[in-house]
Amino acid sequence: MSTLTEARPTPVVASPEPRRWAAVFALARFEARELLLQIPVLFFSLLYVGYLGWQVWTSDREGMNEFPVLQDADRATQMPPMLIAVAMLICANRAVLRSRRRGTDRHFDVLVMEPWRRTVAHALSVVPFAVAVALAVAGQFTWQALKPGAVGHGSYAELAVAPLSVLLLGVLGVLLARLIPSSFVVPLLALGGFVGTTLLTAGLDDPRWMRWLWPVASEYQSDPLPSDLLGRPAAWHVLYLVGLTVLLLCLAILVGGGRARLVKAIAVGSAALTLTGAVAQSAGDSPALTAARVRASVTPEKDQTCIRHDRSTYCAFPEWTGRTEDWAGTVRRVQSLAGGAAGGTLLTVRQRVEARYYGLGQDSTFDPSRTPGEVTVGTRWGGNRIPEFAVGVASVLVAGDEEAAGQLCDARTVVVMWLALGSAPDPMTSLKNVRLDDSVSGSAVVLTPTHPLSMSAQQTDVVREMLERPRYSITAKVKAHWTELTSPKTSTARAAELLDVPVPQGKEDECWA
């Protein structure tokens, strides 16, 4: 007699929900380590770190780096991390498709973890890189903000753009892998998107709504503006990026088999946030902002604070009042070389901006002031801006006002250049930096905060001889012959005789003005 034993299937007991999510986080940690070992991620991460190191190394070499404007410094953190964001797009996509390339997809069918949970794990693997970028951005901005010459105010929303971009492109790579299981999709999509957007942008004259649909909305800016005149919808852009990231993640989960009502509800909510942010960030400048830009450009004195240093008054926008002492130092240096009444002339140094027409896309060019004793200074400082401002101060001391200074075409140009550069730490380098062609011989255009000046070849020869001689000897001669040297009737050759330097040969060049 035989007994037949009926085989009974072993019941599969689903793991508790907390343990399932623990498995998701464990897979996310593993995938994050795998991403770190991918060549694109390693290469672009090293490139990004190298860029940050280069900035630190060159900060002492570039004078303007010592005087950062923080409402520009926060936006400067956005574009470099896009290297890592692109690496996340490529490598997260390849990570999802790894099992398909290696023919191991069928093995996932025997696992308890559902496909949509693996999708979430791949998306979470991008988070450590977004956090790392956030820390790098915070360090970069803090380093700028702690400099003694820093002015202005940064924006948390602008600083959040870089890490959100990394997260967004990583999630996009996961979604594309679920939609189209091919590793060639991402490169083709990136190339096609770039070419298509470039052509469309050129055809539509770079509309605002299209520019702000990208993760980083870059805008060309010549000179910094006060933070309340920027008009950048940074907060709405962050809302747009957050909503779009969550929406793409929900779509990836739904494509991966997730059908929970909660996911669908979150997808609908994130779509609403994305649309709200996209519409709000695409709106044009408000009438109030336009009026504020006109007021700051035409009548800056209505928005400025004036501070007295020594004999002169320095009027600046509120965020720049701490820089007036630096301006005063340059004015003291220039006036110390002047003779006659110019050494005690009461000047008004006024900061100016130009934001009436195109906002951040405007090149800041200022018409010369007709007000006697008024000197223009911009919102940039350091580097070449210092000798350019010194030339502006010297030209007003000699000519009386900025408009008259633009017509200088005689020995007064020699005096102006001596006052501006004679007491500089490195006069010859400053002479080169302040000339448009970076030369120290021949005729050239000399840059100032307003309209440029003109130097003939003979005037350049005289100025170069003056700068190469001991300062005290030239200073004494300039002060002794101040009246004649600043007369419009005095020629360059006569100035050379008064200053006891070689008289330039040949007929003096005519001024370009």
Side-chain angles (χ1 to χ4, degrees), residues 219-484:
E219 292 179 296
Y220 168 75
Q221 181 180 355
S222 175
D223 288 331
L225 294 178
S227 56
D228 56 352
L229 300 182
L230 293 180
R232 282 177 59 87
W236 289 116
H237 189 58
V238 166
L239 179 66
Y240 164 74
L241 292 179
V242 171
L244 184 58
T245 301
V246 177
L247 175 61
L248 296 182
L249 177 59
C250 291
L251 292 178
I253 292 174
L254 292 174
V255 173
R259 292 293 183 266
R261 291 183 179 179
L262 179 60
V263 176
K264 297 178 181 178
I266 294 175
V268 173
S270 59
L273 290 179
T274 304
L275 181 61
T276 301
V279 172
Q281 72 185 9
S282 300
D285 297 330
S286 66
L289 176 61
T290 302
R293 286 175 171 174
V294 171
R295 184 176 63 251
S297 303
V298 178
T299 56
E301 62 275 5
K302 294 183 178 180
D303 296 329
Q304 291 180 341
T305 301
C306 294
I307 300 174
R308 189 71 174 255
H309 292 289
D310 302 327
R311 295 178 295 270
S312 299
T313 303
Y314 300 83
C315 299
F317 292 99
E319 292 171 309
W320 276 267
T321 53
R323 192 165 288 174
T324 56
E325 178 57 39
D326 296 317
W327 303 339
T330 301
V331 171
R332 292 190 200 102
R333 179 173 60 78
V334 173
Q335 285 194 303
S336 68
L337 301 180
T345 299
L346 304 180
L347 297 176
T348 298
V349 176
R350 186 172 302 283
Q351 189 175 46
R352 296 170 64 185
V353 297
E354 180 53 79
R356 282 176 288 180
Y357 305 114
Y358 305 108
L360 295 185
Q362 168 81 9
D363 279 333
S364 295
T365 56
F366 309 116
D367 292 329
S369 172
R370 297 181 180 181
T371 305
E374 183 169 283
V375 183
T376 296
V377 66
T379 51
R380 290 191 184 276
W381 189 250
N384 297 352
R385 302 294 87 80
I386 296 178
E388 290 171 14
F389 173 66
V391 172
V393 173
S395 62
V396 171
L397 289 177
V398 172
D401 62 71
E402 291 179 339
E403 186 175 35
Q407 307 302 318
L408 294 181
C409 189
D410 42 60
R412 292 176 294 175
T413 301
V414 173
V415 178
V416 167
M417 298 306 295
W418 164 253
L419 296 182
L421 309 177
S423 58
D426 189 347
M428 293 303 296
T429 299
S430 296
L431 175 62
K432 180 180 67 174
N433 292 341
V434 83
R435 288 159 64 99
L436 185 61
D437 59 356
D438 294 330
S439 67
V440 292
S441 62
S443 60
V445 173
V446 178
L447 300 175
T448 72
T450 56
H451 286 181
L453 306 182
S454 172
M455 283 186 74
S456 67
Q458 290 76 13
Q459 291 166 348
T460 301
D461 292 340
V462 173
V463 171
R464 189 174 61 248
E465 287 288 343
M466 295 170 68
L467 296 178
E468 290 176 347
R469 297 194 176 193
R471 183 187 308 167
Y472 65 87
S473 64
I474 299 297
T475 302
K477 293 182 177 66
V478 168
K479 292 185 176 182
H481 303 285
W482 179 261
T483 302
E484 187 173 0

Side-chain angles (χ1 to χ4, degrees), residues 140-157:
Q140 181 183 356
F141 181 78
T142 302
W143 171 66
Q144 296 278 2
L146 292 179
K147 291 182 177 180
V151 298
H153 301 87
S155 167
Y156 289 112

Side-chain angles (χ1 to χ4, degrees), residues 37 375 476 500:
L37 298 178
V375 183
D500 195 22

Side-chain angles (χ1 to χ4, degrees), residues 11-23 111-114 117:
V12 177
V13 181
S15 301
E17 192 68 15
R19 295 192 62 182
R20 290 187 176 187
W21 282 108
L111 297 180
V112 177
M113 184 181 295
E114 302 94 322
R117 292 184 188 271

Side-chain angles (χ1 to χ4, degrees), residues 45-61 65 80 136 140 143:
S45 297
L46 290 176
L47 194 61
Y48 178 46
V49 172
Y51 166 78
L52 296 179
W54 176 80
Q55 275 202 324
V56 174
W57 184 70
T58 58
S59 62
D60 295 332
R61 295 169 173 261
N65 288 346
Q140 181 183 356
W143 171 66

